[in-house]
Amino acid sequence: MSQHDNEPVEVRIRIGGPAGFGIKAAGQTLARLFMHAGYETFDLTEYPSLIKGGHNNYLLRVSTEEIFSHVEPVDILVALDADTVRLHLGELTEGGAVIFDPEAVDIDEIEGVPDSACLIDVPLKQIVYDAGGVPIMRNTAALGAVLGHMGFPLEYLTDSITAQFAHKKPEIAEQNVACATAGYEYASEHGCAFPYEMAPRERRGGEERILVDGNEAAGAGALAAGIGLYCAYPMTPASSLLHFFAKHGETYDVVTKHTEDEIAAMNMVCGGAFGGTRSMCATSGGGFSLMVEALGMAGVSESAVVVGLFTRPGPATGMPTWTEQSDLRYAIHASQGEFPRVVLAPGDRDDAFHLTWQAFNLADQLQTPVILLGDSYLSDNRQSIPPFDTSRVEIDRGDLIAEGEVSEYRRYAVTDSGVSPRALPGVTGAEQIVNSYEHDEYGFGAQGEIAEVRIAQNDKRMRKLDLARTLVPPPAYFGPEEADLSILLFGTTKMPVREAMKWLERDGVSVRMMQLVTVWPFPAEEVSAFLGEAKRSAIIEGNHTGQLQGLVREQCLVDVDHTLHRYDGRPFSPEQVRAFIEEVCG
Amino acid sequence: MPAVKEYTTTNKPTWCPGCGNFGMWEALKRALSELEMEFADYSVVWGIGCHGNGADFLKTQGFHGLHGRALPVATALSLTRPDLKVIVEMGDGDGYGLGMGHFVHTVRRNVDITCIAHNNQIYGLTTGQASPTTEHGMRTVSTPSGVLEEPVNPIGLALAEGATFVARGFAGDIPHLTELYKEALRHEGFALVDVFQPCVTWNKLNTFSWFRERVYKLEESGHDTTDRTAAFDLSLTTFHDMTCTPEECRIPIGVFYREEDTPSYNAGVKASQTPGWRSAREPRDISDLLASFS
Ligand SMILES: Cc1ncc(C[n+]2csc(CCOP(=O)(O)OP(=O)(O)O)c2C)c(N)n1
Ligand code: SF4
Ligand SMILES: [Mg+2]
């Protein structure tokens, strides 16, 4: 580790310990203070589905340059237990530091600790005891030690502590400040030289930053779009979106309901949409299974609903707190029968914001369900990013009649576009049925079984898919048009691939990436063109069976040259992506 | 104010001649007319079953939902459209079987919904299987040796979950049922009207005459509708073994219980006080939220 003047500075910190120690909260304090100090941050929380016990860890990447994902190596390992050292020793960079409490970790007992490692034995427990604090304050002492080791001004931490505990009893803030200070001093005195110059800095252009995870971004997008109803049953990684609306719903006038189950959530969202309210629910795969019948109802009844499907590794309960991209086919196909739907796959936080408000417009314009397909990697982890460009937000409610009177109204009028005027209940002259049965133009079920009526209604609905193609967000492209390798992907794999592309560009390897933002209706023409122009092509997707590859074969009648899969619950790392690219570019 | 006959659509009812659904349909139209409800004032949500086919016959801008799921649809509509009276028509299989979870939770929430259960003690539409309220011992196509379970007690369940308006009607007494509907529609909060609705095709036990010989009116019996314990006791006397004589089985109809001063769930939700679509006329200002992320 050595630092040249213009070289970007980057430090990776991992905090690990037993679950229930507030590790994520401590890590986020660190992320926020580095963001305030002019750095870019990206975090990755790994935790088992337990409240207490089990190994939790939080990885924070801090950089002076634009970053797109987490990375594998660790420069500072904060070990609140011995497991953390054992599990993460291999990630430690040459000369990297291990901060530990000798009372909790017997470092001599642990095999393979490299000689180059900088061992900083901070008496965390003793520090907390001396400060008269409670055990959880060990985190604060450890954060102090991290900054002390880095030689980074302590005020950033103490200011954040003071702000964080402003509404609590004053001694809580005081004890935390004492712990932070003692940890800081100990590490500065007993540590080793830190290889980088880390100081608060002026951000390029002085731009602002916000620190958000994918669910906060989606929640912000929904609020901007005028959401009025959010219903959900808690399921990781979607639960924090329920908490988001529970917290902000009162301020922003959003009816927020933790329902008895996901069946109720999806049916409620249909009821909200029926009344004209912008309505959304979100869940993970298991909950989505329960929603599927009502999802089909939204299709046939032409209900404008937005559904978040945030993937965890499945099937069934699967791996609740881990990530995967195995619900692509599920999102596209779930439900009996056929109906048009739109599936959008945000690749990062900015996508999550913009695709969410757009999802509400698409749902209204098309009067059909729009699914946001995310995953734990996006939902759970925060990144410092420029504030969302809210000037882009528009509201388009489609052919909606909210008040007044209509005449010669037909809820399901057969039109060229497939979209029929939608008068809300309360509009005089619009007394008709919104129906889960097949129905005639007035929504009546009895006539829905007449063959010609069925065909006319089914054709009308499916025509909306053609309209959707003209409305949905197009694919996004990154990298030079002429490249050694063309990579096709969807969703959050965008992040590590962009990071790897950045590195490879420096090494003279050029990569072009096509991100499918809309995965349904499938942009077959664009994908065919992209692959047709490719020197070499690859698909990178986080699943076992190659769901995107299957879609490409089916929709474009072509295949790619190489594939990379991952399904161990972890997101792709840019290191893994880089190694893959180097291999296929041979 | 629309006349009774104006609450019908141009569709001809498809129910079997003599079905109890006719009486329930008529009573609801009368109640709506007598309460002077305009079409823009209410919305009806149906589940799936013979009862649900009523969606084609009653004039409303309504929603014909899934089997068992009318209540969640109605809950959302009620919580986002304070300008509408929301009515649910559900079946016994629909509401007390598949949708039992929603029933219990909607009751305890006291959402402002008038919930009408077409309790024919059978699965009508799917040709006569036992329903959750079919009497113990009754033989049906799905229980050739007789039902082994005890029937669900909708009145008792609703009371146990804190329902604020609980009533039972009989499709064979339209004037009485009309009055029950009117009281339920005037109630602010969750109002259950469980209605004995003879299925003349599949339920050969609980027929119109079977009920006529057994029902009596609570309002004529000196029952105190504010006495929850008494109401609960009465709910337990509903179902008897199939051989009981009219003298042994006295089945109460009318209002079991009501409380008027308990606030509805709707009243506790600030966002529920204005129609939700009004929030989506222009983009919301989220600058404060974004500031909190920085
Ligand atoms: C999920 C689901 N399962 C099964 C059915 C088939 N089904 C339609 S109506 C019905 C039962 C109807 O009984 P009830 O709710 O008592 O209504 P009734 O016909 O007696 O009015 C069933 C099982 C369905 N429509 N949906
Ligand atoms: S089957 Fe029974 S419930 Fe259904 S319409 Fe006929 S009589 Fe009525
Ligand atoms: Mg029935």
Side-chain angles (χ1 to χ4, degrees), chain A residues 227 250 260 423 425 434 446, chain B residues 56 61 64 81 109 270 284:
Chain A
I227 187 176
E250 179 98 0
E260 58 269 30
V434 169
Chain B
D56 280 6
Q61 194 173 5
H64 198 167
R81 289 296 304 268
R109 274 174 208 143
K270 184 180 134 243
R284 262 203 197 95

Side-chain angles (χ1 to χ4, degrees), chain A residues 486 488 527 531 537-539 549 552-553 558-563:
Chain A
S486 296
L488 178 67
V527 171
L531 295 177
S537 62
I539 286 179
Q549 187 186 15
V552 169
R553 287 172 174 158
V558 293
D559 207 346
V560 290
D561 303 320
H562 306 278
T563 58

